[in-house]
Amino acid sequence: MKIILLQDDKKLGKKGSIVEVSEGYARNCILPKKIGVEATPKNMNDLKLQKANDEKVAKEQLEAAQALAKEMETKIVVVKIKAGEGGKTFGSVSTKEIAAALKEQHKIEVDKKKIQLEDNLRSFGSIEVPIKIHPQVTAKVTVKVTEA
């Protein structure tokens, strides 16, 4: 019996794939637990329409992410930290502070986990920080660390 999976399953496969299982397994396990539905012509057509819709939504999200990346690359984010003796920084700038400054200065909201900073910034000056907006799109924002 052919089944269209409605959710990911370790043994059977990914959501949306069509798998061949025995009738007993389908009737007693897959259908009652709503893991999948029988691959009828109507369900096959619904699957095709769902995949087309998912591709359209993914394409729109990618285009929006690319537009946001272009906008972000022109921005400069200024973060102020205290200075100790001899002009050395007192503390460091973390991803949380960069995200807050980006939201405050340019009204662009970014999750701090998406900012790919290898280590906290511990010196004054400008540095380009990569931000992963989308799995395929990474923007570079210039962060300028100044003395408070």
Side-chain angles (χ1 to χ4, degrees), residues 3-21 25 30 34-37 47 51:
I3 298 289
I4 300 171
L5 296 177
L6 298 176
Q7 53 187 282
D8 290 350
D9 189 76
K10 283 184 180 178
K11 297 176 185 172
L12 298 174
K14 297 258 182 206
K15 175 182 176 181
S17 61
I18 301 169
V19 294
E20 184 78 34
V21 295
Y25 184 59
I30 295 175
K34 304 220 185 306
I35 296 172
V37 293
L47 175 67
K51 282 187 177 181

PDB file of all heavy atoms in Angstrom, residues 3-21 25 30 34-37 47 51:
ATOM      1  N   ILE A   3       1.678   5.108   0.807  1.00  0.00           N
ATOM      2  CA  ILE A   3       1.310   6.071   1.838  1.00  0.00           C
ATOM      3  C   ILE A   3       2.074   7.375   1.598  1.00  0.00           C
ATOM      4  O   ILE A   3       3.257   7.358   1.258  1.00  0.00           O
ATOM      5  CB  ILE A   3       1.676   5.531   3.245  1.00  0.00           C
ATOM      6  CG1 ILE A   3       0.907   4.261   3.559  1.00  0.00           C
ATOM      7  CG2 ILE A   3       1.472   6.566   4.325  1.00  0.00           C
ATOM      8  CD1 ILE A   3      -0.559   4.455   3.810  1.00  0.00           C
ATOM      9  N   ILE A   4       1.390   8.527   1.809  1.00  0.00           N
ATOM     10  CA  ILE A   4       2.031   9.838   1.786  1.00  0.00           C
ATOM     11  C   ILE A   4       2.265  10.229   3.240  1.00  0.00           C
ATOM     12  O   ILE A   4       1.318  10.290   4.033  1.00  0.00           O
ATOM     13  CB  ILE A   4       1.143  10.898   1.103  1.00  0.00           C
ATOM     14  CG1 ILE A   4       0.851  10.506  -0.344  1.00  0.00           C
ATOM     15  CG2 ILE A   4       1.813  12.270   1.168  1.00  0.00           C
ATOM     16  CD1 ILE A   4      -0.183  11.389  -1.016  1.00  0.00           C
ATOM     17  N   LEU A   5       3.515  10.474   3.605  1.00  0.00           N
ATOM     18  CA  LEU A   5       3.837  10.813   4.990  1.00  0.00           C
ATOM     19  C   LEU A   5       3.441  12.252   5.313  1.00  0.00           C
ATOM     20  O   LEU A   5       3.740  13.173   4.553  1.00  0.00           O
ATOM     21  CB  LEU A   5       5.325  10.604   5.256  1.00  0.00           C
ATOM     22  CG  LEU A   5       5.823   9.170   5.150  1.00  0.00           C
ATOM     23  CD1 LEU A   5       7.331   9.122   5.359  1.00  0.00           C
ATOM     24  CD2 LEU A   5       5.136   8.279   6.149  1.00  0.00           C
ATOM     25  N   LEU A   6       2.783  12.431   6.459  1.00  0.00           N
ATOM     26  CA  LEU A   6       2.373  13.754   6.906  1.00  0.00           C
ATOM     27  C   LEU A   6       3.389  14.367   7.872  1.00  0.00           C
ATOM     28  O   LEU A   6       3.309  15.544   8.190  1.00  0.00           O
ATOM     29  CB  LEU A   6       1.002  13.694   7.588  1.00  0.00           C
ATOM     30  CG  LEU A   6      -0.153  13.222   6.716  1.00  0.00           C
ATOM     31  CD1 LEU A   6      -1.429  13.121   7.530  1.00  0.00           C
ATOM     32  CD2 LEU A   6      -0.345  14.157   5.538  1.00  0.00           C
ATOM     33  N   GLN A   7       4.305  13.557   8.355  1.00  0.00           N
ATOM     34  CA  GLN A   7       5.355  14.033   9.254  1.00  0.00           C
ATOM     35  C   GLN A   7       6.591  13.160   9.089  1.00  0.00           C
ATOM     36  O   GLN A   7       6.521  12.064   8.548  1.00  0.00           O
ATOM     37  CB  GLN A   7       4.876  14.040  10.706  1.00  0.00           C
ATOM     38  CG  GLN A   7       4.302  12.721  11.170  1.00  0.00           C
ATOM     39  CD  GLN A   7       3.683  12.817  12.553  1.00  0.00           C
ATOM     40  OE1 GLN A   7       4.425  12.818  13.518  1.00  0.00           O
ATOM     41  NE2 GLN A   7       2.377  12.904  12.633  1.00  0.00           N
ATOM     42  N   ASP A   8       7.719  13.658   9.563  1.00  0.00           N
ATOM     43  CA  ASP A   8       8.975  12.901   9.473  1.00  0.00           C
ATOM     44  C   ASP A   8       8.896  11.663  10.355  1.00  0.00           C
ATOM     45  O   ASP A   8       8.316  11.684  11.432  1.00  0.00           O
ATOM     46  CB  ASP A   8      10.158  13.754   9.926  1.00  0.00           C
ATOM     47  CG  ASP A   8      10.484  14.876   8.946  1.00  0.00           C
ATOM     48  OD1 ASP A   8       9.922  14.866   7.839  1.00  0.00           O
ATOM     49  OD2 ASP A   8      11.295  15.745   9.290  1.00  0.00           O
ATOM     50  N   ASP A   9       9.483  10.567   9.868  1.00  0.00           N
ATOM     51  CA  ASP A   9       9.539   9.333  10.638  1.00  0.00           C
ATOM     52  C   ASP A   9      10.912   8.715  10.423  1.00  0.00           C
ATOM     53  O   ASP A   9      11.391   8.643   9.290  1.00  0.00           O
ATOM     54  CB  ASP A   9       8.441   8.368  10.180  1.00  0.00           C
ATOM     55  CG  ASP A   9       8.309   7.175  11.089  1.00  0.00           C
ATOM     56  OD1 ASP A   9       7.741   7.339  12.183  1.00  0.00           O
ATOM     57  OD2 ASP A   9       8.791   6.082  10.711  1.00  0.00           O
ATOM     58  N   LYS A  10      11.542   8.269  11.503  1.00  0.00           N
ATOM     59  CA  LYS A  10      12.897   7.719  11.404  1.00  0.00           C
ATOM     60  C   LYS A  10      12.974   6.528  10.464  1.00  0.00           C
ATOM     61  O   LYS A  10      13.887   6.399   9.670  1.00  0.00           O
ATOM     62  CB  LYS A  10      13.407   7.291  12.782  1.00  0.00           C
ATOM     63  CG  LYS A  10      13.862   8.422  13.647  1.00  0.00           C
ATOM     64  CD  LYS A  10      14.428   7.893  14.939  1.00  0.00           C
ATOM     65  CE  LYS A  10      14.900   9.016  15.828  1.00  0.00           C
ATOM     66  NZ  LYS A  10      15.418   8.523  17.105  1.00  0.00           N
ATOM     67  N   LYS A  11      12.004   5.626  10.564  1.00  0.00           N
ATOM     68  CA  LYS A  11      12.049   4.393   9.779  1.00  0.00           C
ATOM     69  C   LYS A  11      11.551   4.580   8.344  1.00  0.00           C
ATOM     70  O   LYS A  11      12.053   3.943   7.433  1.00  0.00           O
ATOM     71  CB  LYS A  11      11.211   3.315  10.460  1.00  0.00           C
ATOM     72  CG  LYS A  11      11.730   2.920  11.817  1.00  0.00           C
ATOM     73  CD  LYS A  11      10.813   1.940  12.481  1.00  0.00           C
ATOM     74  CE  LYS A  11      11.273   1.641  13.897  1.00  0.00           C
ATOM     75  NZ  LYS A  11      10.315   0.856  14.634  1.00  0.00           N
ATOM     76  N   LEU A  12      10.547   5.450   8.163  1.00  0.00           N
ATOM     77  CA  LEU A  12       9.898   5.550   6.860  1.00  0.00           C
ATOM     78  C   LEU A  12      10.482   6.628   5.948  1.00  0.00           C
ATOM     79  O   LEU A  12      10.681   6.394   4.768  1.00  0.00           O
ATOM     80  CB  LEU A  12       8.401   5.788   7.052  1.00  0.00           C
ATOM     81  CG  LEU A  12       7.651   4.674   7.786  1.00  0.00           C
ATOM     82  CD1 LEU A  12       6.219   5.084   8.050  1.00  0.00           C
ATOM     83  CD2 LEU A  12       7.704   3.395   6.982  1.00  0.00           C
ATOM     84  N   GLY A  13      10.703   7.828   6.471  1.00  0.00           N
ATOM     85  CA  GLY A  13      11.245   8.890   5.636  1.00  0.00           C
ATOM     86  C   GLY A  13      10.767  10.264   6.055  1.00  0.00           C
ATOM     87  O   GLY A  13      10.216  10.451   7.134  1.00  0.00           O
ATOM     88  N   LYS A  14      10.955  11.227   5.158  1.00  0.00           N
ATOM     89  CA  LYS A  14      10.632  12.626   5.423  1.00  0.00           C
ATOM     90  C   LYS A  14       9.174  12.930   5.090  1.00  0.00           C
ATOM     91  O   LYS A  14       8.531  12.221   4.323  1.00  0.00           O
ATOM     92  CB  LYS A  14      11.528  13.534   4.583  1.00  0.00           C
ATOM     93  CG  LYS A  14      12.985  13.418   4.898  1.00  0.00           C
ATOM     94  CD  LYS A  14      13.394  14.575   5.738  1.00  0.00           C
ATOM     95  CE  LYS A  14      14.881  14.497   6.019  1.00  0.00           C
ATOM     96  NZ  LYS A  14      15.239  15.151   7.222  1.00  0.00           N
ATOM     97  N   LYS A  15       8.694  14.021   5.650  1.00  0.00           N
ATOM     98  CA  LYS A  15       7.338  14.502   5.390  1.00  0.00           C
ATOM     99  C   LYS A  15       7.169  14.777   3.896  1.00  0.00           C
ATOM    100  O   LYS A  15       8.040  15.351   3.263  1.00  0.00           O
ATOM    101  CB  LYS A  15       7.107  15.793   6.188  1.00  0.00           C
ATOM    102  CG  LYS A  15       5.791  16.452   5.922  1.00  0.00           C
ATOM    103  CD  LYS A  15       5.667  17.744   6.705  1.00  0.00           C
ATOM    104  CE  LYS A  15       4.375  18.436   6.342  1.00  0.00           C
ATOM    105  NZ  LYS A  15       4.217  19.692   7.064  1.00  0.00           N
ATOM    106  N   GLY A  16       6.041  14.352   3.338  1.00  0.00           N
ATOM    107  CA  GLY A  16       5.752  14.593   1.934  1.00  0.00           C
ATOM    108  C   GLY A  16       6.229  13.501   0.997  1.00  0.00           C
ATOM    109  O   GLY A  16       5.885  13.503  -0.176  1.00  0.00           O
ATOM    110  N   SER A  17       7.007  12.557   1.487  1.00  0.00           N
ATOM    111  CA  SER A  17       7.485  11.491   0.608  1.00  0.00           C
ATOM    112  C   SER A  17       6.443  10.368   0.527  1.00  0.00           C
ATOM    113  O   SER A  17       5.629  10.198   1.418  1.00  0.00           O
ATOM    114  CB  SER A  17       8.834  10.952   1.083  1.00  0.00           C
ATOM    115  OG  SER A  17       8.726  10.406   2.366  1.00  0.00           O
ATOM    116  N   ILE A  18       6.505   9.614  -0.548  1.00  0.00           N
ATOM    117  CA  ILE A  18       5.579   8.511  -0.774  1.00  0.00           C
ATOM    118  C   ILE A  18       6.337   7.215  -0.517  1.00  0.00           C
ATOM    119  O   ILE A  18       7.389   6.983  -1.109  1.00  0.00           O
ATOM    120  CB  ILE A  18       5.028   8.547  -2.217  1.00  0.00           C
ATOM    121  CG1 ILE A  18       4.305   9.879  -2.457  1.00  0.00           C
ATOM    122  CG2 ILE A  18       4.108   7.373  -2.464  1.00  0.00           C
ATOM    123  CD1 ILE A  18       3.965  10.144  -3.893  1.00  0.00           C
ATOM    124  N   VAL A  19       5.801   6.384   0.387  1.00  0.00           N
ATOM    125  CA  VAL A  19       6.472   5.137   0.751  1.00  0.00           C
ATOM    126  C   VAL A  19       5.519   3.959   0.558  1.00  0.00           C
ATOM    127  O   VAL A  19       4.301   4.106   0.600  1.00  0.00           O
ATOM    128  CB  VAL A  19       6.980   5.168   2.215  1.00  0.00           C
ATOM    129  CG1 VAL A  19       8.071   6.197   2.381  1.00  0.00           C
ATOM    130  CG2 VAL A  19       5.863   5.429   3.184  1.00  0.00           C
ATOM    131  N   GLU A  20       6.102   2.797   0.353  1.00  0.00           N
ATOM    132  CA  GLU A  20       5.344   1.554   0.182  1.00  0.00           C
ATOM    133  C   GLU A  20       5.455   0.763   1.487  1.00  0.00           C
ATOM    134  O   GLU A  20       6.555   0.453   1.941  1.00  0.00           O
ATOM    135  CB  GLU A  20       5.934   0.753  -0.982  1.00  0.00           C
ATOM    136  CG  GLU A  20       5.183  -0.510  -1.322  1.00  0.00           C
ATOM    137  CD  GLU A  20       3.913  -0.269  -2.117  1.00  0.00           C
ATOM    138  OE1 GLU A  20       3.878   0.674  -2.933  1.00  0.00           O
ATOM    139  OE2 GLU A  20       2.965  -1.036  -1.911  1.00  0.00           O
ATOM    140  N   VAL A  21       4.299   0.465   2.119  1.00  0.00           N
ATOM    141  CA  VAL A  21       4.278  -0.323   3.353  1.00  0.00           C
ATOM    142  C   VAL A  21       3.206  -1.402   3.216  1.00  0.00           C
ATOM    143  O   VAL A  21       2.346  -1.340   2.332  1.00  0.00           O
ATOM    144  CB  VAL A  21       3.985   0.549   4.601  1.00  0.00           C
ATOM    145  CG1 VAL A  21       5.093   1.547   4.840  1.00  0.00           C
ATOM    146  CG2 VAL A  21       2.657   1.258   4.489  1.00  0.00           C
ATOM    147  N   TYR A  25       0.364  -2.779   8.400  1.00  0.00           N
ATOM    148  CA  TYR A  25       1.119  -1.719   9.077  1.00  0.00           C
ATOM    149  C   TYR A  25       0.454  -0.361   8.846  1.00  0.00           C
ATOM    150  O   TYR A  25       0.336   0.451   9.760  1.00  0.00           O
ATOM    151  CB  TYR A  25       2.561  -1.716   8.565  1.00  0.00           C
ATOM    152  CG  TYR A  25       3.465  -0.723   9.262  1.00  0.00           C
ATOM    153  CD1 TYR A  25       3.683  -0.782  10.635  1.00  0.00           C
ATOM    154  CD2 TYR A  25       4.107   0.290   8.546  1.00  0.00           C
ATOM    155  CE1 TYR A  25       4.517   0.112  11.281  1.00  0.00           C
ATOM    156  CE2 TYR A  25       4.943   1.195   9.171  1.00  0.00           C
ATOM    157  CZ  TYR A  25       5.140   1.098  10.544  1.00  0.00           C
ATOM    158  OH  TYR A  25       5.951   1.996  11.165  1.00  0.00           O
ATOM    159  N   ILE A  30       0.100   3.475  10.890  1.00  0.00           N
ATOM    160  CA  ILE A  30       0.305   4.772  10.245  1.00  0.00           C
ATOM    161  C   ILE A  30      -0.973   5.608  10.193  1.00  0.00           C
ATOM    162  O   ILE A  30      -0.976   6.764  10.602  1.00  0.00           O
ATOM    163  CB  ILE A  30       0.880   4.581   8.828  1.00  0.00           C
ATOM    164  CG1 ILE A  30       2.278   3.970   8.943  1.00  0.00           C
ATOM    165  CG2 ILE A  30       0.944   5.902   8.090  1.00  0.00           C
ATOM    166  CD1 ILE A  30       2.912   3.626   7.636  1.00  0.00           C
ATOM    167  N   LYS A  34      -2.053   9.073  12.460  1.00  0.00           N
ATOM    168  CA  LYS A  34      -2.005  10.211  11.540  1.00  0.00           C
ATOM    169  C   LYS A  34      -0.572  10.571  11.129  1.00  0.00           C
ATOM    170  O   LYS A  34      -0.218  11.738  11.006  1.00  0.00           O
ATOM    171  CB  LYS A  34      -2.716  11.419  12.152  1.00  0.00           C
ATOM    172  CG  LYS A  34      -4.161  11.127  12.545  1.00  0.00           C
ATOM    173  CD  LYS A  34      -5.059  12.251  12.233  1.00  0.00           C
ATOM    174  CE  LYS A  34      -6.475  12.076  12.710  1.00  0.00           C
ATOM    175  NZ  LYS A  34      -7.185  10.924  12.328  1.00  0.00           N
ATOM    176  N   ILE A  35       0.252   9.545  10.944  1.00  0.00           N
ATOM    177  CA  ILE A  35       1.616   9.727  10.445  1.00  0.00           C
ATOM    178  C   ILE A  35       1.573   9.914   8.932  1.00  0.00           C
ATOM    179  O   ILE A  35       2.408  10.595   8.353  1.00  0.00           O
ATOM    180  CB  ILE A  35       2.505   8.520  10.815  1.00  0.00           C
ATOM    181  CG1 ILE A  35       2.650   8.426  12.324  1.00  0.00           C
ATOM    182  CG2 ILE A  35       3.871   8.611  10.163  1.00  0.00           C
ATOM    183  CD1 ILE A  35       3.341   7.166  12.803  1.00  0.00           C
ATOM    184  N   GLY A  36       0.562   9.314   8.298  1.00  0.00           N
ATOM    185  CA  GLY A  36       0.437   9.399   6.852  1.00  0.00           C
ATOM    186  C   GLY A  36      -0.984   9.159   6.404  1.00  0.00           C
ATOM    187  O   GLY A  36      -1.855   8.810   7.200  1.00  0.00           O
ATOM    188  N   VAL A  37      -1.234   9.378   5.114  1.00  0.00           N
ATOM    189  CA  VAL A  37      -2.538   9.119   4.498  1.00  0.00           C
ATOM    190  C   VAL A  37      -2.316   8.244   3.274  1.00  0.00           C
ATOM    191  O   VAL A  37      -1.217   8.195   2.708  1.00  0.00           O
ATOM    192  CB  VAL A  37      -3.258  10.423   4.089  1.00  0.00           C
ATOM    193  CG1 VAL A  37      -3.653  11.232   5.289  1.00  0.00           C
ATOM    194  CG2 VAL A  37      -2.420  11.259   3.150  1.00  0.00           C
ATOM    195  N   LEU A  47      -0.864  16.894  -2.373  1.00  0.00           N
ATOM    196  CA  LEU A  47       0.568  16.913  -2.074  1.00  0.00           C
ATOM    197  C   LEU A  47       1.314  17.784  -3.087  1.00  0.00           C
ATOM    198  O   LEU A  47       2.178  18.585  -2.715  1.00  0.00           O
ATOM    199  CB  LEU A  47       1.140  15.492  -2.087  1.00  0.00           C
ATOM    200  CG  LEU A  47       2.649  15.366  -1.913  1.00  0.00           C
ATOM    201  CD1 LEU A  47       3.067  15.802  -0.517  1.00  0.00           C
ATOM    202  CD2 LEU A  47       3.089  13.944  -2.174  1.00  0.00           C
ATOM    203  N   LYS A  51       3.358  21.169  -2.158  1.00  0.00           N
ATOM    204  CA  LYS A  51       4.774  21.354  -2.478  1.00  0.00           C
ATOM    205  C   LYS A  51       4.988  22.625  -3.299  1.00  0.00           C
ATOM    206  O   LYS A  51       5.960  23.360  -3.080  1.00  0.00           O
ATOM    207  CB  LYS A  51       5.326  20.142  -3.227  1.00  0.00           C
ATOM    208  CG  LYS A  51       5.612  18.968  -2.321  1.00  0.00           C
ATOM    209  CD  LYS A  51       6.303  17.854  -3.062  1.00  0.00           C
ATOM    210  CE  LYS A  51       6.645  16.710  -2.124  1.00  0.00           C
ATOM    211  NZ  LYS A  51       7.342  15.627  -2.802  1.00  0.00           N
TER     212      LYS A  51
END
